[in-house]
């Protein structure tokens, strides 16, 4: 602490952070290897990137505040068993992306992360919020222009439009490459929910970043595509339909699958 | 079996030797158990949910690939795939619980506790 407070005085005298680190970096630092202790800095830091480090016993954190407000007496038999399990098992720490706020939405967070490039989270988030604002403006404009009878059918909530558009774009069946007798065939195969969600988001992002005029902003194009997908129109829906058509054309090869 | 351990070594040495004419055995690998088990080629299964898929695709062809018209067929396809996935997971979990080990599990154990090289 004393070193940090006196930074402004010591800067001129050639003070460096390294001298302040002290016991963090030891003079005789090295790395432990199978052959023994090798002096010197570790030559290669190999740190696996994906995958959970948690023991399988750890349970997921419960972020929903309403769940915590339910009285113990009102719980069913399996819910009270789950609660007792949570008393004895360790719980994973919540990640930065998870939030117990009513405004947080895991689907939106996932989309923002997928849209993010080079770690620019603020830019990605601002694009997303501008997209929602643009959608809301367009819908309110059409709401006020519509006759009284049609006003109920117009959806003004941009989050609902986003969710519905993504759901409309998720493919039902996918294609995988399977090699048989030297030739590789496109075989129709079922997809997991995560894969379907990923494909829908990926199609949106690639479509909106590639097929737009250079003066059109990303949020503008995104809002157009989301509203079109909400009404089952647009290029992303077309791409999903093309995938379905190809799967239908290749249905004869479905037996090449072994799972 | 353990009593005749020395006897086996002598026999193997005689079989490989060239002192009595041609050697009977000409091994290209060491005559010792390796610390790994050969991978058994598991029998390939068959594709699941073909009927549901074909029903769904027939519905698509009739209704020009609209999802609203084929909602029921799509839902039955989803339930079928979910069931098949659950069955596959249960099968892969139970393989480890029974008394036999998979080749991969046996190899992993042998790598941790290898065979003795020298009889000490």
């Amino acid at each position: 602490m004393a070193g940090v407070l006196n930074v402004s005085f010591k800067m001129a005298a050639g003070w460096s952070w390294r001298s302040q680190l002290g016991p963090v970096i030891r003079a005789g630092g090295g790395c432990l290897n199978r052959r023994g202790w090798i002096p010197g800095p570790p030559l290669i830091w190999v740190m696996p990137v994906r995958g959970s480090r948690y023991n399988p016993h750890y349970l997921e954190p419960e972020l929903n505040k309403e769940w915590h407000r339910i009285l113990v007496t009102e719980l069913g038999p399996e819910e009270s068993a789950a609660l007792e399990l949570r008393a004895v098992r360790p719980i994973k720490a919540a990640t930065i992306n998870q939030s117990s706020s009513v405004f947080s939405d895991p689907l939106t967070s996932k989309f923002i992360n997928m849209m993010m490039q080079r770690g620019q989270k603020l830019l990605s988030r601002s694009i997303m919020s501008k997209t929602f604002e643009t959608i809301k403006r367009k819908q309110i404009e059409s709401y006020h222009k519509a006759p009284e009878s049609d006003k109920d059918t117009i959806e003004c909530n941009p989050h609902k439009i986003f969710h519905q558009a993504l759901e409309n774009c998720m493919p039902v069946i996918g294609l995988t490459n399977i090699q048989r007798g030297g030739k590789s065939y496109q075989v129709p195969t079922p997809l997991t929910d995560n894969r379907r969600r990923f494909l829908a988001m990926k199609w949106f992002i690639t479509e909106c970043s590639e097929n737009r005029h250079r003066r059109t902003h990303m949020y503008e194009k995104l809002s157009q595509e989301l509203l079109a997908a909400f009404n089952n129109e647009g290029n992303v829906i077309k791409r999903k339909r093309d995938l379905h058509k190809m799967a239908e054309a290749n249905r004869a090869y479905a037996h090449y699958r072994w799972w | 079996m353990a009593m005749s351990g020395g006897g086996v070594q002598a026999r193997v040495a005689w079989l490989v030797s060239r002192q009595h004419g041609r050697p009977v055995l000409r091994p290209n690998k060491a005559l010792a158990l390796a610390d790994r088990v050969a991978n058994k080629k598991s029998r390939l299964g068959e594709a699941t949910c073909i009927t549901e898929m074909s029903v769904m695709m027939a519905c698509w062809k009739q209704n020009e690939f609209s999802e609203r018209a084929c909602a029921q067929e799509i839902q039955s396809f989803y339930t079928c795939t979910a069931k098949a996935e659950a069955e596959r997971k249960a099968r892969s979990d139970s393989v480890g619980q029974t008394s036999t080990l998979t080749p991969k599990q046996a190899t992993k154990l042998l790598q941790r506790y290898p065979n003795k090289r020298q009889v000490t």
Side-chain angles (χ1 to χ4, degrees), chain A residues 187-203:
Chain A
V187 174
T189 170
L191 299 167
T192 56
D193 284 333
N194 279 349
R195 179 77 187 154
R196 291 168 56 224
R197 185 191 64 185
F198 168 78
L199 281 174
M201 289 186 183
K202 188 81 185 174
W203 288 341

Side-chain angles (χ1 to χ4, degrees), chain A residues 34-218:
Chain A
R34 263 196 233 156
R35 289 183 231 121
W37 180 261
I38 295 176
L43 296 167
I44 305 166
W45 270 127
V46 178
M47 196 65 197
V49 177
R50 282 183 187 73
S52 168
R53 305 284 175 282
Y54 279 114
N55 187 300
H57 275 259
Y58 277 69
L59 302 172
E60 296 290 330
E62 186 56 62
L63 301 161
N64 189 7
K65 277 184 193 163
E66 296 307 316
W67 185 91
H68 289 284
R69 286 201 188 118
I70 299 171
L71 294 175
V72 179
T73 48
E74 284 171 19
L75 290 173
E78 63 226 9
E79 284 161 353
S80 51
L83 191 64
E84 279 168 20
L85 186 67
R86 292 182 81 80
V88 290
R89 285 273 195 93
I91 315 275
K92 292 184 197 180
T95 64
I96 284 284
N97 279 335
Q98 291 170 314
S99 160
S100 60
S101 159
V102 293
F103 303 111
S104 77
D105 176 27
L107 204 65
T108 315
S109 308
K110 185 61 91 179
F111 193 81
I112 288 169
N113 284 340
M114 280 188 65
M115 216 170 33
M116 173 172 63
Q117 286 179 8
R118 299 198 191 99
Q120 289 174 311
K121 187 65 162 270
L122 278 179
L123 181 59
S124 183
R125 278 194 75 164
S126 66
I127 291 173
M128 199 72 216
S129 63
K130 279 183 199 166
T131 310
F132 285 146
E133 188 192 334
T134 319
I135 292 174
K136 180 116 195 190
R137 278 180 190 274
K138 285 184 186 172
Q139 289 298 90
I140 286 181
E141 189 184 341
S142 61
Y143 177 85
H144 286 301
K145 283 186 184 166
E148 282 299 326
S149 54
D150 290 345
K151 280 197 193 250
D152 285 335
T153 56
I154 295 175
E155 178 60 61
C156 284
N157 187 346
H159 298 276
K160 281 192 189 160
I161 290 175
F162 176 65
H163 283 233
Q164 188 59 46
L166 268 184
E167 222 182 285
N168 290 348
C169 283
M170 287 204 251
V172 175
I173 199 167
L175 291 169
T176 48
N177 282 344
I178 288 184
Q179 285 238 335
R180 263 274 197 115
K183 266 182 78 175
S184 62
Y185 299 94
Q186 295 277 327
V187 174
T189 170
L191 299 167
T192 56
D193 284 333
N194 279 349
R195 179 77 187 154
R196 291 168 56 224
R197 185 191 64 185
F198 168 78
L199 281 174
M201 289 186 183
K202 188 81 185 174
W203 288 341
F204 266 113
I205 292 168
T206 43
E207 164 68 34
C208 293
S209 55
E210 285 167 16
N211 295 354
R212 63 184 158 106
H213 186 61
R214 64 174 183 84
R215 298 273 297 188
T216 316
H217 291 285
M218 180 73 171

Side-chain angles (χ1 to χ4, degrees), chain A residues 190 196 232 240 254 257 259, chain B residues 48 53 57 67-68 78 81:
Chain A
R196 291 168 56 224
N232 274 310
K240 179 195 81 160
R257 236 185 340 130
W259 66 95
Chain B
T48 48
M53 192 184 75
M57 287 186 169
E67 286 195 0
R68 223 158 282 173
Y78 282 156
T81 47

Side-chain angles (χ1 to χ4, degrees), chain B:
Chain B
M1 276 309 227
M3 299 266 288
S4 64
V8 167
Q9 293 285 340
R11 183 98 187 113
V12 160
W14 188 89
L15 288 166
V16 179
S17 73
R18 292 165 197 251
Q19 287 171 356
H20 310 277
R22 267 176 164 186
V24 177
L25 292 178
R26 276 179 286 187
N28 56 353
K29 287 178 259 207
L31 288 174
L33 288 173
D35 291 329
R36 50 182 289 277
V37 174
N39 276 330
K40 205 161 86 170
K41 197 174 169 183
S42 61
R43 248 220 333 245
L44 295 177
E46 47 182 53
T48 48
C49 304
I50 297 268
T51 41
E52 275 85 359
M53 192 184 75
S54 43
V55 161
M56 184 177 67
M57 287 186 169
C59 175
W60 272 347
K61 252 215 142 111
Q62 280 179 348
N63 301 333
E64 290 176 18
F65 293 90
S66 95
E67 286 195 0
R68 223 158 282 173
C70 303
Q72 218 173 18
E73 281 85 352
I74 291 172
Q75 202 50 51
S76 65
F77 179 65
Y78 282 156
T79 49
C80 176
T81 47
K83 221 169 19 147
E85 187 67 30
E87 270 175 30
R88 197 163 66 95
K89 212 167 173 200
R91 227 185 308 139
S92 71
D93 277 343
S94 74
V95 158
Q97 308 307 349
T98 51
S99 55
T100 53
L101 290 169
T102 56
K104 283 194 180 142
Q105 286 172 330
T107 307
K108 200 168 178 185
L109 278 173
L110 279 170
Q111 275 175 351
R112 277 192 216 159
Y113 307 105
N115 288 314
K116 278 188 179 179
R117 288 274 157 257
Q118 280 130 19
V119 182
T120 37

